[in-house]
Amino acid sequence: MSDEPQPHSGPEIENLFAETRTFPPDPAFAAAANAQAGIYDEAAADYVGFWEKQAKERISWFTPFGETLKWELPFAEWFVGGELNIAYNCVDRHVERGLGDKVAYHWIGEPGDTRTLTYRDLMVESSKAANALLELGVRKGDRVAIYMPMIPELPIAMLACARIGAPHTVVFGGFSAEALSSRINDCGAKVLITADGGWRRGKKVGLKHHADEAVTQAPTIEHMIVVDRFGDGAHMVPHRDLWWHEIVDRQSEVCPPVPVDSEHMLYLLYTSGTTAKPKGILHTSAGYLLGAAFTHWAVFDIKPDDVYWCAADIGWVTGHSYIVYGPLANATTGVMYEGAPDAPTWDRWWEIVEEYKVSILYCAPTAIRAFMKQGEAIPEAHDLSSLRVLGSVGEPINPEAWRWYKDVIGGGKTPVVDTWWQTETGQILISPLPGVTTTKPGSATFGLPGIDADVVDADGTSVPNGGGGYLVLKRPWPGMLRGIYGDPERYKQTYWSRFPGMYFAGDGAKRDEDGYIWLLGRVDDVMNVAGHRISTTEVESALVDHKSVAEAAVVGKNDPISGQAIFAFVTLKSGQEPSDALAVQLREHVAYVIGPIARPKFLLFAPDLPKTRSGKIMRRLLRDIAEGRALGDASTLADANVVDAIRSNTGKAEED
Ligand code: PRX
């Protein structure tokens, strides 16, 4: 394991503090904003009462709840005894009040095909899909795994599960067969919904063969439903596999939403922690929906005629909360795009904004930096004047990218909301409110109303303005995870043991002289690559799983586009010779075991790894080597020659 975690003190901190400009909200925007300044005080005066009121206003209940919050640290129950249905709240109730013809999603396939789904379409399609699941024996509480590209059947499948109270676990389509089977096995899913594949950069990316391979290792799966995206046919296993169009299309269009308890499991979403085993983050129904819907309304200032585009993949939590549940609960019109931002050219996103008159855009800093690199001329060739709010998520946004986003994409007039949250938090917790908060480029600013976010030192004491330390949350919130599936001990250990009574997020943070919070990246063994969390330990396990590898250590290296890049140090077994071919093989091996997102960008063969006398790998030194900076304290190193041997080699690490 690593040295004692410390907030990173890399050059990015100096950058942050070089930025002194502030941006107050535009008065006209502020006057019409959904969330007004008074909301902070209202929530601070009685946060439980605040959420109670929100829950009564925003959720349609089949049975009203009693107690608002039952808090037995670290286990929360929100809206105790209430009954609701998430699909009803996201779809049916809007149709009932006359919004059946409102567009829920403008879907755009990468090759240029499009589909428009109204709220009525979503109701009908999710009902048919739910009836198909019922036909296959799925009942309330049974888990369903979903492994799909960004096609309309993905949110439809999620809503179908929610309609019958079957928790889903969506596995990002970029994960490997092995990653898929381990998640299915952890939760014991009965049915897998997948597709033949999806389009990415002009190529067909197949999923069905991964799904087949996964299911050979996942005995709980009884059936697979397969969407036909390509129309080329696929190998179907008789009795087990069913085409979506065959089983779903013939179902009844009516499937009454099943009432579930407020605390009924809505979904599991697996995320990386500091060990090789991903954690099944458990989200329940009412609190999660409220957290997603309230923040979507307040942070993005959603109005009935907005066209909102969250450019994440639904396979990550951002897509769950801010493509599916939050926006649909608010009856929003959304854009959903299947493919890559540069397919066929870097104009693609801006063409979409122009054509659909997108008014709110939410994406990751990695994407913004990638666009910056292509130059201003590309976005400037398009009419982006429909944009009125821009959001950022997933990693710290550097001030240059923040300003570029505001000036070049937002024409200098749009507020930028830098939103901090996690798979575990379910909802945005730290962010400006666009009509209230004076922003500073690079700062996520303050905890949202009802949220008590703080920065504490190693002893858990709140740091004064100007201080740095660890980000914690001092109160429960409705969208919070309810646990790690099947592992309450790990839940307590991971989040609630570092600072007693507080939720520890694993992020370093600073609070500046004005009290603004600046996120500084992970302080544990988790990397943030293009806004995706990847555990160093998981990549190391994948490497040592290869027959030539004796030992591996993985660190995150700062990267101008993706935030961090994966840097692997590999020691081979005796008799194995380092070679370029082997480096390629090892990278492919990691991609095979975890998925292409985890393929190391840098891979360096090292005769030995720097260790303490007690045999602990000194990652801190490896990080220094990876960054090419002067070594920190190396006095506890057992053999100083090891570091010299590695350093003399670093130029050869980068992938061609
Ligand atoms: O390190 C923080 C970073 O992403 C982590 C959570 O990753 P994940 O669960 O995959 O969820 C990402 C999307 C919500 C956090 O612990 N992070 C997320 N948003 C920000 C951020 N870091 C800095 N600024 C942000 N706005």
Side-chain angles (χ1 to χ4, degrees):
M1 296 306 291
S2 69
D3 313 337
E4 171 68 9
Q6 293 294 330
H8 294 310
S9 54
E12 70 272 20
I13 293 175
E14 285 160 38
N15 276 342
L16 294 178
F17 283 87
E19 176 59 54
T20 51
R21 281 202 296 166
T22 57
F23 295 86
D26 169 67
F29 187 104
N34 286 350
Q36 296 287 330
I39 196 171
Y40 287 103
D41 288 344
E42 181 198 339
D46 171 11
Y47 81 95
V48 175
F50 171 77
W51 290 119
E52 177 185 338
K53 182 172 153 232
Q54 294 294 335
K56 286 181 175 159
E57 281 173 6
R58 293 179 188 279
I59 293 183
S60 301
W61 298 92
F62 292 152
T63 308
F65 59 91
E67 202 180 347
T68 299
L69 170 65
K70 194 165 145 211
W71 180 223
E72 286 168 12
L73 198 137
F75 297 100
E77 285 177 42
W78 283 90
F79 314 118
V80 181
E83 286 192 304
L84 75 169
N85 180 277
I86 299 294
Y88 177 81
N89 272 274
C90 288
V91 181
D92 304 21
R93 63 170 173 167
H94 306 319
V95 179
E96 284 173 10
R97 67 187 167 105
L99 295 177
D101 293 332
K102 183 169 183 181
V103 174
Y105 294 115
H106 293 289
W107 176 81
I108 301 139
E110 200 191 75
D113 46 341
T114 57
R115 273 174 74 182
T116 307
L117 283 109
T118 62
Y119 276 90
R120 182 174 299 102
D121 295 334
L122 268 191
M123 184 169 84
V124 167
E125 296 305 320
S126 68
S127 296
K128 290 198 296 194
N131 283 326
L133 291 172
L134 290 172
E135 183 183 314
L136 296 178
V138 176
R139 295 291 177 268
K140 184 174 171 178
D142 290 341
R143 276 79 62 213
V144 173
I146 301 178
Y147 182 61
M148 287 173 107
M150 283 286 285
I151 54 178
E153 286 82 358
L154 171 50
I156 290 169
M158 293 162 79
L159 292 167
C161 290
R163 185 173 285 285
I164 59 172
H168 56 69
T169 187
V170 179
V171 179
F172 171 59
F175 277 125
S176 67
E178 200 164 316
L180 174 60
S181 66
S182 71
R183 285 156 174 77
I184 292 172
N185 288 330
D186 190 74
C187 70
K190 215 166 163 176
V191 166
L192 171 62
I193 307 179
T194 186
D196 48 358
W199 289 92
R200 190 87 195 162
R201 298 208 164 81
K203 290 202 191 92
K204 289 178 181 171
V205 179
L207 287 181
K208 175 69 165 66
H209 63 290
H210 291 313
D212 285 339
E213 197 185 326
V215 168
T216 61
Q217 308 297 323
T220 56
I221 293 291
E222 295 167 11
H223 292 286
M224 220 194 273
I225 301 179
V226 186
V227 176
D228 187 10
R229 169 82 180 106
F230 301 142
D232 307 338
H235 171 68
M236 300 289 274
V237 174
H239 309 296
R240 186 195 72 184
D241 299 353
L242 303 136
W243 286 110
W244 176 288
H245 56 266
E246 285 175 5
I247 184 162
V248 174
D249 287 0
R250 63 177 165 74
Q251 301 291 332
S252 156
E253 294 186 354
V254 178
C255 179
V258 173
V260 301
D261 187 85
S262 291
E263 287 296 334
H264 184 72
M265 177 167 41
L266 175 62
Y267 69 81
L268 291 170
L269 187 58
Y270 286 81
T271 192
S272 297
T274 54
T275 71
K277 188 177 185 295
K279 304 174 281 195
I281 302 301
L282 195 162
H283 283 290
T284 59
S285 298
Y288 171 78
L289 187 72
L290 179 67
F294 168 76
T295 51
H296 180 253
W297 170 87
V299 171
F300 300 110
D301 192 50
I302 289 294
K303 302 282 201 286
D305 53 357
D306 271 313
V307 179
Y308 160 90
W309 182 15
C310 167
D313 190 291
I314 292 177
W316 308 107
V317 75
T318 305
H320 281 59
S321 298
Y322 297 107
I323 297 178
V324 182
Y325 293 112
L328 294 181
N330 291 332
T332 304
T333 292
V335 164
M336 185 176 160
Y337 170 54
E338 177 185 31
D342 56 347
T345 68
W346 284 100
D347 289 284
R348 192 65 192 266
W349 276 28
W350 316 123
E351 283 166 6
I352 292 173
V353 169
E354 188 169 7
E355 178 170 352
Y356 291 89
K357 304 215 172 355
V358 172
S359 53
I360 298 164
L361 178 65
Y362 189 33
C363 69
T366 296
I368 301 164
R369 290 191 292 260
F371 284 116
M372 270 172 88
K373 205 174 152 196
Q374 304 304 316
E376 298 175 10
I378 297 173
E380 279 171 357
H382 299 275
D383 177 6
L384 307 182
S385 60
S386 54
L387 288 169
R388 62 178 203 93
V389 180
L390 298 174
S392 162
V393 62
E395 24 168 345
I397 178 163
N398 47 310
E400 294 103 279
W402 193 103
R403 285 198 312 261
W404 191 90
Y405 196 26
K406 185 179 177 79
D407 291 342
V408 178
I409 305 304
K413 64 178 174 59
T414 55
V416 172
V417 288
D418 173 9
T419 64
W420 179 91
W421 60 296
Q422 308 179 293
T423 305
E424 290 87 340
T425 71
Q427 62 182 85
I428 299 169
L429 296 188
I430 304 179
S431 164
L433 286 177
V436 179
T437 314
T438 293
T439 51
K440 298 188 184 188
S443 168
T445 73
F446 307 103
L448 287 175
I451 303 303
D452 189 0
D454 199 2
V455 181
V456 297
D457 65 16
D459 301 325
T461 308
S462 191
V463 302
N465 284 356
Y470 304 88
L471 182 72
V472 295
L473 296 151
K474 294 180 151 174
R475 269 187 212 145
W477 61 97
M480 68 191 278
L481 78 165
R482 300 302 194 265
I484 295 176
Y485 190 66
D487 202 344
E489 211 33 55
R490 191 175 176 196
Y491 169 65
K492 286 190 208 160
Q493 270 303 322
T494 310
Y495 305 108
W496 301 94
S497 67
R498 179 72 181 78
F499 302 107
M502 304 176 209
Y503 173 90
F504 173 46
D507 281 353
K510 284 218 160 210
R511 193 165 33 217
D512 73 11
E513 295 300 341
D514 303 319
Y516 281 66
I517 297 174
W518 300 73
L519 277 310
L520 303 176
R522 302 290 305 183
V523 294
D524 54 15
D525 294 329
V526 176
M527 297 170 289
N528 191 328
V529 180
H532 301 142
R533 258 162 80 172
I534 299 170
S535 142
T536 55
T537 326
E538 218 177 329
V539 180
E540 286 163 5
S541 305
L543 285 164
V544 294
D545 174 70
H546 189 277
K547 62 184 186 322
S548 306
V549 175
E551 202 170 29
V554 167
V555 299
K557 172 180 162 61
N558 287 330
D559 186 273
I561 303 286
S562 63
Q564 284 191 304
I566 302 177
F567 198 125
F569 295 87
V570 176
T571 306
L572 296 175
K573 285 185 182 154
S574 63
Q576 301 289 329
E577 283 303 314
S579 69
D580 290 348
L582 183 56
V584 170
Q585 235 186 64
L586 293 179
R587 286 192 168 94
E588 285 317 309
H589 186 70
V590 175
Y592 174 74
V593 175
I594 307 176
I597 44 165
R599 182 190 282 115
K601 181 167 179 189
F602 300 89
L603 190 146
L604 190 66
F605 292 109
D608 216 338
L609 296 173
K611 291 187 184 149
T612 59
R613 283 174 199 90
S614 61
K616 239 170 73 169
I617 294 176
M618 293 184 69
R619 279 157 202 285
R620 193 168 41 75
L621 292 184
L622 292 175
R623 276 195 288 266
D624 289 341
I625 295 170
E627 300 295 355
R629 63 186 174 223
L631 294 195
D633 179 13
S635 57
T636 53
L637 189 62
D639 177 359
N641 296 324
V642 170
V643 169
D644 296 334
I646 300 176
R647 292 187 104 179
S648 60
N649 249 331
T650 40
K652 300 173 197 153
E654 189 163 358
E655 191 173 19
D656 292 331

